[in-house]
Amino acid sequence: MDYNVSALIEYFPYFIPAAWKTIEVTALGILLGMVLGLLTAFSRLSKNPLFNVPARLYIFVIRGTPLLLQLMFLYFGLRSILNLEALTTAVIALGIHNGAYIAEIFRGAIQSIAVGQMEAARSLGMTYRKAMIRIILPQAFKRAIPPLGNQFIIALKDSSLASAITIKELLLKSQQLASSNYYMMEMLTIAAIFYLFYTSIFTWLVHKIEEKLAVSGSR
Amino acid sequence: MIKVRKLEKWFGKLHVLKGIDLDVNPSEVVVIIGASGSGKSTLLRCINFLEKFQKGTVEIDGKVIDKNNEKMKNAMRTHVGMVFQHFNLFPHMTVLQNVIEGPSQVKKISKAKAVEIGKYYLEKVGLSDKEVAYPSMLSGGQKQRVAIARALGMEPSVMLFDEPTSALDPELVGEVLSVMKDLASEGMTMVVVTHEMGFAREVADRVIYMDDGLIVEEGTPEEIFNNPKVERTQEFLSQIL
């Protein structure tokens, strides 16, 4: 098998728009996922069935089905009703998908804070809401950071599935180039390099944030 | 100051408080003793409504507290301080921030004034030098003293202590008890659940012995420790003294 190293360098620049596309889909998807995740976590923790039943259902359906299916469902399945742009669809699908996981991360983090913290806050006369905002959430966020970092890396890699609905991100780009230049291995290598570059930055960033938070008030 | 009437509580099917009547007068120090499972901590937690109860009433400063009225409960808690067995300090805040959190966030006192109050009470518990430390850097005894300062920062009219020394290493118990003694001598109204019989004997105006969800006997420390009238009290004391 021939492996053309110079093709790596030659075709590298062609990937740059696709690399941006990957970041765009991932970042917007994560942003939407965070908003959905937080709202869902609170709904899930609510004692009111009006809130917690839909939250459970959402998590059940989304975690129980593949992202690829969800993408296709939105893009091809609902085309006649929604007729969304491919990029919008990818962001929504990635957002909804990650929202379910992020909700569980937040819920777990909130529930992991000892009951005594809420009791101490309430004993000072704080309302439930104030105790949540001032005492529970700051601690819960800190605990959520490592699993969130993990989830963001998963989201980044999952953005490659958007290739199935015509988004020209890294993976689709590599396939398109390979089909005309026949450097399949080389094109996949370039895409892989980009993914590794992104995940390294993510990992480093999460590590830095953890370090910073550890200094200010660890347990 | 505190009037508890016919208070009954169940945890599921377990009847843990079976009709408690308790009065605490201003400046009085009431110490509740009893075996674990007797309901003494639960009673204390019912007084500031951290624990729900099914029957009876709690009256604080002349007001019967409505258990369904969140606003009323929150207002009541601003003048009922509580100290917990496991301190429950806020780990993401410094010692000073812990103490000023209540005054500034709940009473809406200005930051400068809250800091002044915070420093005053930290000095009172002898921890002025720990203002910028985080709870994780403190010993158990220091943590509990910060927790006392945090409760005092709200300038409560009564303080509830739920086994404040039970989680401490033996050599750290003294510093916490001495802060509590000072507080008592200054006329603070206190309800203390504890296993520290020495403290009860020395500081209490009234000792209450609880067993199986009921107040079995109450009286001055001399009456309870030297001449207990009820057989169950005698048995309990003979086991621990």
Side-chain angles (χ1 to χ4, degrees):
Chain A
M1 190 186 75
D2 289 329
Y3 191 90
N4 190 338
V5 178
S6 64
L8 292 180
I9 296 151
E10 191 189 336
Y11 285 94
F12 194 84
Y14 292 93
F15 277 82
I16 288 175
W20 280 114
K21 198 57 102 187
T22 288
I23 279 295
E24 193 183 351
V25 171
T26 307
L28 292 174
I30 286 174
L31 206 69
L32 179 62
M34 285 287 278
V35 174
L36 284 174
L38 251 181
L39 290 175
T40 309
F42 281 120
S43 308
R44 175 84 172 70
L45 286 169
S46 162
K47 288 194 181 91
N48 187 339
L50 221 61
F51 290 104
N52 79 47
V53 170
R56 278 166 199 266
L57 194 69
Y58 163 58
I59 294 168
F60 170 74
V61 171
I62 298 301
R63 283 208 309 185
T65 54
L67 174 58
L68 189 54
L69 182 148
Q70 293 161 10
L71 271 164
M72 292 182 164
F73 194 89
L74 275 179
Y75 193 63
F76 303 118
L78 297 180
R79 171 167 276 175
S80 56
I81 315 167
L82 296 174
N83 199 20
L84 294 172
E85 254 183 83
L87 183 69
T88 317
T89 311
V91 169
I92 292 175
L94 209 64
I96 291 177
H97 185 78
N98 280 283
Y101 286 92
I102 291 170
E104 288 296 87
I105 289 172
F106 279 135
R107 181 177 70 92
I110 290 169
Q111 284 182 329
S112 77
I113 305 300
V115 200
Q117 290 290 308
M118 180 54 93
E119 288 186 347
R122 298 305 302 272
S123 80
L124 292 171
M126 281 191 198
T127 60
Y128 176 83
R129 177 199 272 275
K130 179 146 244 163
M132 215 31 164
I133 293 170
R134 298 280 313 170
I135 307 302
I136 306 299
L137 288 181
Q139 298 181 60
F141 269 122
K142 199 169 128 184
R143 257 182 226 185
I145 284 168
L148 277 180
N150 244 338
Q151 189 59 39
F152 290 176
I153 287 172
I154 293 171
L156 173 78
K157 294 186 292 182
D158 278 356
S159 71
S160 61
L161 290 167
S163 60
I165 60 163
T166 73
I167 303 288
K168 265 193 214 165
E169 45 63 69
L170 288 167
L171 188 64
L172 185 55
K173 187 75 196 176
S174 69
Q175 296 308 291
Q176 287 179 340
L177 287 171
S179 67
S180 55
N181 63 20
Y182 302 107
Y183 293 132
M184 178 57 89
M185 287 291 281
E186 292 81 350
M187 296 305 106
L188 286 171
T189 305
I190 296 174
I193 289 169
F194 271 104
Y195 282 115
L196 281 168
F197 172 68
Y198 286 148
T199 49
S200 314
I201 291 181
F202 260 37
T203 311
W204 177 81
L205 212 67
V206 169
H207 183 72
K208 278 285 152 205
I209 294 171
E210 268 182 72
E211 237 175 25
K212 192 162 175 131
L213 285 174
V215 175
S216 68
S218 58
R219 251 174 205 278
Chain B
M1 175 131 287
I2 298 176
K3 276 199 175 86
V4 177
R5 288 292 174 271
K6 297 196 169 55
L7 193 138
E8 291 191 59
K9 164 154 185 89
W10 284 263
F11 279 119
K13 283 194 174 137
L14 194 66
H15 201 183
V16 284
L17 295 175
K18 301 177 176 170
I20 301 282
D21 291 299
L22 172 70
D23 285 277
V24 181
N25 300 314
S27 292
E28 197 180 17
V29 177
V30 174
V31 171
I32 306 175
I33 59 171
S36 35
S38 59
K40 54 194 194 310
S41 279
T42 307
L43 170 60
L44 196 75
R45 291 161 55 82
C46 284
I47 292 176
N48 69 351
F49 289 76
L50 277 188
E51 205 72 70
K52 287 186 180 130
F53 52 87
Q54 285 77 18
K55 281 188 183 169
T57 57
V58 173
E59 183 184 319
I60 290 170
D61 289 336
K63 268 184 261 175
V64 176
I65 308 298
D66 175 3
K67 62 178 145 196
N68 297 316
N69 187 337
E70 281 294 318
K71 245 190 181 151
M72 193 179 198
K73 284 194 281 183
N74 289 334
M76 170 271 287
R77 287 183 188 130
T78 61
H79 43 99
V80 178
M82 176 117 184
V83 174
F84 300 87
Q85 181 178 355
H86 296 288
F87 332 126
N88 300 351
L89 292 178
F90 307 134
H92 58 305
M93 296 181 183
T94 64
V95 163
L96 185 63
Q97 285 169 342
N98 263 276
V99 181
I100 66 176
E101 181 69 8
S104 61
Q105 290 295 320
V106 180
K107 283 173 129 184
K108 310 281 183 199
I109 287 171
S110 74
K111 182 84 194 279
K113 186 88 178 101
V115 167
E116 201 179 299
I117 293 171
K119 290 188 173 195
Y120 174 77
Y121 285 105
L122 280 177
E123 195 188 332
K124 208 174 176 69
V125 300
L127 288 171
S128 292
D129 57 328
K130 298 289 182 194
E131 275 173 20
V132 294
Y134 281 92
S136 59
M137 301 155 149
L138 305 180
S139 73
Q142 290 171 331
K143 280 181 193 165
Q144 195 58 300
R145 280 148 66 201
V146 173
I148 293 173
R150 177 177 67 180
L152 290 174
M154 292 298 286
E155 319 216 284
S157 49
V158 53
M159 288 278 285
L160 310 176
F161 291 87
D162 186 8
E163 304 200 25
T165 58
S166 298
L168 298 178
D169 291 336
E171 75 272 21
L172 301 176
V173 168
E175 60 188 81
V176 172
L177 291 182
S178 100
V179 166
M180 290 168 65
K181 272 177 212 166
D182 290 346
L183 215 52
S185 68
E186 285 166 22
M188 175 60 81
T189 312
M190 293 164 62
V191 185
V192 185
V193 169
T194 189
H195 294 288
E196 291 295 329
M197 296 304 150
F199 177 83
R201 199 188 273 271
E202 193 181 335
V203 183
D205 296 305
R206 189 147 48 99
V207 176
I208 289 176
Y209 171 65
M210 276 183 73
D211 187 34
D212 199 21
L214 284 168
I215 291 179
V216 175
E217 188 169 356
E218 60 181 301
T220 63
E222 294 82 63
E223 287 169 342
I224 298 293
F225 290 113
N226 300 343
N227 301 301
K229 293 188 181 64
V230 185
E231 200 176 324
R232 270 192 290 171
T233 318
Q234 291 164 4
E235 273 172 32
F236 173 72
L237 290 171
S238 71
Q239 278 164 14
I240 57 159
L241 290 181

